[in-house]
Amino acid sequence: MTLQAIKYSRGKLEILDQLRLPHEKVYIDIGTTQDAWIAIKSMQVRGAPAIALVAALSIAVDVMHLSRDELQAVTAQQFAATINRHLRHLVNSRPTAVNLADAAAKLKAVVDTAANESNADSRTVMTAYLQTAERMLIDDVQDNARIGKHGADWLLQHTASNSSGSQVSVITHCNTGSLATAGYGTALGVIRSLHSSKSLHHVYYTETRPYNQGARLTGFELIHDGIPATLVTDSMAAALMKTKGQSENIIGVIVGADRVAANGDTANKIGTYALAVLAKYHGIKFLVAAPRTTIDMTTRSGAGIVIEERPELEVVNIKGPVVQIDPLTREKEIVEGSTAEISIAASNTCAWNPAFDVTPAELIDGIVTEQGVVEKDGRGRFQWDKVFHVDLLDQAPAVGEAKRIDMLPDGITPQVPVSDQLTSSENKSVIDQR
């Protein structure tokens, strides 16, 4: 049984606190949109698909707590305006991942349409919102399973070293599994598919500094599922490809994505770009696994992607449970309930901490979606018509004009102050007044 990072039933939402993994498995309640904003910003929940789902479902839970009198006190248009304001607030929590803005745009369209129906009231708007948000949760799991199969089949079919039908090994980065989605995973879904078909020999996963999502989360999932795997530091990737590429039959690097631009440039966890360069040099396939909601056709290239920068402390400090080591056997034992944060750099160290980097399209061999694997044509352009049934690249805005996060119809920007979202008296509603 795979891990479940999001537990939802109508009126109740719980998420697995990923800051406490892998040593503690604790679910926390998300009862309001502000709870979700904090959980997303603090990375208690992370992964582009999971962020979008938690944001959408937090509003679903919030509105379900309204009484009949509270619902009757506002018009359909007022209720829709309130939901849209909360969507804008949530989009501001993490600007790089496009799934959140995409989900918000779809939900906004739904509530606006419902509010403008004849005889609409707040309850009909709420019903339309709930049905759409809940459908997103179901669709994500189904889409991930399709991504897994498409990616596994493509890797096995497009790798000359696998012509004998022998088992293969892969490398992955960050966490792209059940913890980053509604279930199964994107890049880790491809790995799960390889494992279930008995095609997988071994997985090498990077620790993913500075937040260690690979070491903490991907390792946790792989061990949980009994998938043979080995942790490596980020700086070991080149040596791994050079010394074990042939003996371990390493055929591909598989990563997820937070945003894919119209030309195929891909923003993903910091360190992805370096892996792509190394894969190209060593003749290893480099595959991006992401649902279509991650592909941002309004941004022409990676130059238009906003890159989130996080605090210096995440680089110079590290946090985890206290470990006691036997001086003779060197066996370790975790002190239950203990947590410590320690410095790993000299005092007054300055650190740069971009959360993501952008991998150029020319380094990417394929982009796996729930509709299939997108490849490049003879001109080196990704053929999106396979998954979107239309070539939109020429419709994308030029670099500098990219809409980025403000893809919502009324112009959401990534830098809206939290205080403005929460204290504005304009369109004040019952949700805000509770």
Side-chain angles (χ1 to χ4, degrees):
M1 181 178 179
T2 57
L3 294 165
Q4 188 176 7
I6 301 170
K7 292 183 177 181
Y8 172 82
S9 59
R10 186 163 285 191
K12 186 172 180 60
L13 173 63
E14 295 177 289
I15 63 168
L16 187 57
D17 186 349
Q18 298 187 30
L19 296 179
R20 300 173 74 165
L21 290 173
H23 305 292
E24 293 182 277
K25 189 176 177 181
V26 178
Y27 286 89
I28 57 175
D29 286 319
I30 302 294
T32 67
T33 54
Q34 185 59 10
D35 288 345
W37 195 97
I38 292 169
I40 293 167
K41 190 68 176 177
S42 68
M43 294 179 67
Q44 288 175 296
V45 60
R46 23 91 24 230
I51 287 170
L53 291 169
V54 169
L57 294 173
S58 71
I59 296 178
V61 170
D62 215 343
V63 299
M64 279 297 295
H65 291 162
L66 296 171
S67 68
R68 179 178 297 180
D69 289 342
E70 287 174 319
L71 286 170
Q72 291 176 344
V74 292
T75 66
Q77 286 74 22
Q78 289 172 329
F79 192 69
T82 296
I83 290 176
N84 290 334
R85 187 167 61 256
H86 283 281
L87 287 169
R88 289 194 295 271
H89 174 49
L90 287 162
V91 167
N92 184 52
S93 58
R94 294 200 74 188
T96 302
V98 71
N99 304 61
L100 177 51
D102 180 79
K106 291 173 180 174
L107 289 164
K108 181 183 189 303
V110 166
V111 297
D112 286 349
T113 299
N116 289 320
E117 293 286 344
S118 59
N119 300 319
D121 58 23
S122 58
R123 185 167 292 280
T124 60
V125 174
M126 180 177 74
T127 299
Y129 182 92
L130 291 173
Q131 290 175 344
T132 305
E134 291 166 357
R135 184 73 233 177
M136 287 178 174
L137 182 65
I138 296 169
D139 288 346
D140 189 67
V141 177
Q142 295 175 344
D143 289 347
N144 289 339
R146 295 187 188 104
I147 288 170
K149 186 178 188 312
H150 290 315
D153 290 347
W154 188 93
L155 273 174
L156 295 174
Q157 293 167 6
H158 287 75
T159 308
S161 62
N162 189 53
S163 57
S164 64
S166 58
Q167 288 187 318
V168 301
S169 297
V170 295
I171 299 170
T172 193
H173 186 61
C174 197
N175 175 256
T176 58
S178 298
L179 298 175
T181 64
Y184 203 70
T186 53
L188 202 51
V190 175
I191 291 169
R192 284 190 165 105
S193 183
L194 287 169
H195 179 64
S196 65
S197 67
K198 302 188 185 307
S199 300
L200 182 69
H201 171 60
H202 208 81
V203 180
Y204 292 92
Y205 62 102
T206 60
E207 63 176 348
T208 321
R209 283 279 293 147
Y211 227 68
N212 298 316
Q213 293 99 322
R216 292 188 301 108
L217 306 178
T218 297
F220 184 68
E221 290 202 51
L222 292 170
I223 292 168
H224 178 277
D225 286 8
I227 297 175
T230 297
L231 170 67
V232 296
T233 66
D234 298 1
S235 56
M236 294 176 184
L240 173 65
M241 294 179 190
K242 176 70 174 179
T243 61
K244 292 182 177 290
Q246 186 171 359
S247 63
E248 292 292 293
N249 198 17
I250 297 174
I251 65 166
V253 176
I254 313 169
V255 301
D258 286 81
R259 186 181 293 247
V260 179
N263 72 336
D265 290 351
T266 297
N268 192 48
K269 185 54 55 188
I270 191 73
T272 302
Y273 182 15
L275 282 173
V277 172
L278 293 172
K280 191 75 167 181
Y281 179 81
H282 290 93
I284 295 172
K285 295 294 185 185
F286 189 89
L287 204 58
V288 172
R292 287 179 300 170
T293 54
T294 305
I295 300 167
D296 179 8
M297 301 305 291
T298 68
T299 299
R300 177 172 287 272
S301 74
I305 298 175
V306 177
I307 299 298
E308 174 190 4
E309 294 195 14
R310 295 189 62 82
E312 292 182 346
L313 283 177
E314 293 178 359
V315 176
V316 300
N317 287 2
I318 196 165
K319 183 187 294 184
V322 175
V323 177
Q324 290 182 339
I325 301 177
D326 187 295
L328 297 177
T329 65
R330 304 306 296 169
E331 292 182 353
K332 70 176 185 179
E333 181 179 352
I334 294 173
V335 179
E336 188 175 350
S338 66
T339 302
E341 184 168 352
I342 62 171
S343 173
I344 57 172
S347 298
N348 302 317
T349 294
C350 294
W352 180 49
N353 189 16
F356 308 93
D357 57 27
V358 177
T359 299
E362 55 263 34
L363 297 178
I364 300 169
D365 293 297
I367 298 173
V368 193
T369 76
E370 67 274 24
Q371 293 297 320
V373 181
V374 182
E375 299 177 88
K376 288 176 278 192
D377 61 15
R379 297 177 297 167
R381 289 163 53 116
F382 279 104
Q383 298 299 289
W384 298 118
D385 56 324
K386 179 174 182 178
V387 295
F388 287 119
H389 309 296
V390 64
D391 185 358
L392 296 176
L393 180 59
D394 293 329
Q395 300 176 27
V399 174
E401 297 177 351
K403 294 175 74 174
R404 301 177 186 178
I405 276 295
D406 56 341
M407 56 171 34
L408 293 182
D410 58 350
I412 296 173
T413 64
Q415 300 299 327
V416 180
V418 178
S419 57
D420 290 352
Q421 295 291 340
L422 295 179
T423 61
S424 172
S425 59
E426 184 180 359
N427 291 325
K428 195 77 171 173
S429 81
V430 291
I431 297 179
D432 303 304
Q433 294 168 356
R434 283 189 296 116

